[in-house]
Amino acid sequence: MKSPIKSTEYREPQATTEELDVTLIELLFFAYRDFTSDPDAILASYGFGRAHHRVLHFVNHWPGLTVAELLDVLRITKQSLARVLKQLIDTGYIVQVQGPRDRRQRELYVTKKGHELAVELALPQSRRIRSALEEAGIKDRAEVERFLRAMVNPELRAQLDRSHSSSGTGEGGT
Amino acid sequence: MKSPIKSTEYREPQATTEELDVTLIELLFFAYRDFTSDPDAILASYGFGRAHHRVLHFVNHWPGLTVAELLDVLRITKQSLARVLKQLIDTGYIVQVQGPRDRRQRELYVTKKGHELAVELALPQSRRIRSALEEAGIKDRAEVERFLRAMVNPELRAQLDRSHSSSGTGEGGT
DNA sequence: ACAATTACGTCAGCCATATTGACATATTTA
DNA sequence: TAAATATGTCAATATGGCTGACGTAATTGT
């Protein structure tokens, strides 16, 4: 490699020094960036952002979720959630129901409109995943799932169990 | 004082309607969230954010990168880059060198300090990836790579080739 | 040679999303 | 009843995106 300038100020070109997994680090960056780009475009037309997407997704997938549980899943603060949640409620995508057992709680549910938007947002992502699995010739889809799952902090994997009891596509939807 | 719940107001619990890959959608969300959390904590102690990380990473991995190329990789605007790049330059993590072929260009290089920080940030991510591969019992690591690569927009996969070919920009580097 | 284009820097302002800390209210629990 | 809990909200702040406009230096094309 060449260095146009001789100085101690900057380094010679170099890629990886140690056991740095630059390849997978970058692949995760690029993959996630494009993975979120599809819903982002749709959201923009609704005047929503990525934060709304996350809320809508989890409420749709996990109906009756309380505010505290949602905060725990998203790992954001109450104040950050408040704004987007209020917007989603005001515009009729999500409704709150007083908790039946504990009336301090607010159970969250998507409306029909909310469900439809959640599906609209999940579709392009699912399509992208499906074609990626095909294109990459993945024989054992469970392997990819296990890898991604193992990337999650161990103490937070409980969240995964809560949101989908077992692995696989089928969630028993009708 | 929420209005009494009407049964048509909210949906009954339901997970997936169609061929929505909720499992992988969520796994990608959780995996990426935790994947970025390690460097985030380190960056905070330096007064930097995720944006600085991305710049530092690509300049470190791809020395001599020009500003225009960096913008193309990050897919952000010049103004968004300007702030963080200026900070990284002012604090001595990155230096600019006038392009040898085209003196309008500014080639970017990490300093020793910059390289060290880039490594410090990449280490926990690489460790996380390594243990995830082990834990998940991935036999064929290339499969995971192929999957993630296939998740990237086809027209942008050229960026992956560029950054993973070890000989720099491939533009001659004369 | 000169005009157009390019690469980069920068100014000014806007928006979305996140943060912390404090405080209010209703409800449950000890 | 007092304390703890679940939620809502206010004010202030930071980060990292965005657009549009403009300036300068250097290169390119005719």
Side-chain angles (χ1 to χ4, degrees):
Chain A
M1 303 309 98
K2 24 216 37 203
S3 76
I5 293 186
K6 203 67 178 94
S7 158
T8 52
E9 277 285 78
Y10 58 88
R11 306 189 63 263
E12 288 298 309
Q14 113 168 45
T16 303
T17 333
E18 321 187 13
E19 319 128 35
L20 300 184
D21 203 328
V22 181
T23 299
L24 277 177
I25 287 174
E26 286 187 3
L27 278 171
L28 280 162
F29 168 70
F30 287 118
Y32 195 77
R33 184 188 63 179
D34 288 354
F35 170 66
T36 53
S37 68
D38 301 318
D40 279 354
I42 297 168
L43 287 158
S45 72
Y46 284 83
F48 290 146
R50 212 174 279 185
H52 301 87
H53 184 191
R54 292 198 279 258
V55 171
L56 192 60
H57 171 88
F58 284 107
V59 173
N60 181 57
H61 184 199
W62 194 3
L65 193 71
T66 66
V67 171
E69 289 169 330
L70 185 52
L71 287 174
D72 195 49
V73 169
L74 299 177
R75 314 221 85 208
I76 58 174
T77 59
K78 191 169 44 159
Q79 294 72 14
S80 299
L81 174 61
R83 192 179 27 87
V84 291
L85 183 54
K86 192 173 193 309
Q87 287 175 305
L88 287 166
I89 291 169
D90 289 349
T91 49
Y93 289 89
I94 285 179
V95 288
Q96 282 180 316
V97 175
Q98 198 171 51
R101 299 169 296 283
D102 185 335
R103 289 182 306 176
R104 289 171 305 181
Q105 293 184 332
R106 300 287 179 271
E107 296 188 345
L108 303 172
Y109 296 89
V110 289
T111 59
K112 184 169 187 295
K113 194 178 162 189
H115 175 70
E116 283 163 3
L117 180 51
V119 169
E120 186 185 351
L121 295 169
L123 268 174
Q125 295 194 308
S126 299
R127 270 190 241 112
R128 181 184 292 265
I129 290 170
R130 179 155 19 90
S131 30
L133 290 170
E134 281 171 23
E135 240 179 86
I138 302 298
K139 301 153 212 127
D140 187 7
R141 171 211 164 89
E143 244 192 16
V144 175
E145 286 186 18
R146 282 202 313 275
F147 167 70
L148 290 174
R149 188 193 177 80
M151 287 288 287
V152 178
N153 286 354
E155 67 275 17
L156 300 173
R157 289 179 202 161
Q159 293 179 346
L160 298 173
D161 297 328
R162 283 177 105 176
S163 44
H164 25 83
S165 34
S166 64
S167 94
T169 329
E171 295 284 345
T174 324
Chain B
M1 285 310 202
K2 279 281 152 193
S3 47
I5 308 115
K6 285 183 110 185
S7 43
T8 48
E9 280 277 81
Y10 59 90
R11 307 189 63 266
E12 284 303 307
Q14 121 167 36
T16 305
T17 330
E18 320 188 14
E19 319 127 37
L20 302 184
D21 203 329
V22 182
T23 299
L24 276 176
I25 287 175
E26 286 186 3
L27 278 171
L28 281 161
F29 168 71
F30 287 118
Y32 196 77
R33 183 191 64 180
D34 290 353
F35 170 67
T36 52
S37 68
D38 300 318
D40 280 354
I42 298 168
L43 287 158
S45 72
Y46 284 83
F48 291 147
R50 215 174 277 186
H52 301 86
H53 185 190
R54 294 198 275 258
V55 170
L56 192 60
H57 171 87
F58 284 106
V59 173
N60 181 58
H61 180 53
W62 194 2
L65 192 71
T66 66
V67 171
E69 289 169 329
L70 185 51
L71 287 175
D72 195 50
V73 168
L74 298 178
R75 314 219 85 209
I76 57 174
T77 59
K78 191 169 44 158
Q79 294 73 14
S80 298
L81 174 61
R83 263 195 311 249
V84 292
L85 183 55
K86 192 172 194 306
Q87 288 176 301
L88 286 166
I89 290 168
D90 290 348
T91 49
Y93 290 88
I94 286 180
V95 288
Q96 281 180 316
V97 174
Q98 199 170 53
R101 303 171 293 285
D102 185 335
R103 289 182 305 176
R104 290 172 304 180
Q105 294 183 332
R106 300 286 179 273
E107 295 188 345
L108 303 171
Y109 296 89
V110 289
T111 59
K112 184 169 187 296
K113 194 178 163 190
H115 175 69
E116 283 164 3
L117 179 52
V119 169
E120 185 185 353
L121 294 168
L123 268 174
Q125 295 194 311
S126 300
R127 269 191 241 113
R128 182 184 290 266
I129 290 169
R130 179 155 19 92
S131 31
L133 289 170
E134 281 170 23
E135 240 179 85
I138 303 297
K139 302 151 211 131
D140 187 6
R141 173 212 162 89
E143 243 192 17
V144 175
E145 285 185 20
R146 282 203 312 275
F147 168 68
L148 289 174
R149 186 192 177 80
M151 288 287 287
V152 179
N153 286 353
E155 68 275 18
L156 301 173
R157 289 177 202 162
Q159 293 179 348
L160 297 173
D161 298 328
R162 282 177 106 176
S163 48
H164 292 157
S165 73
S166 52
S167 30
T169 68
E171 293 203 290
T174 30

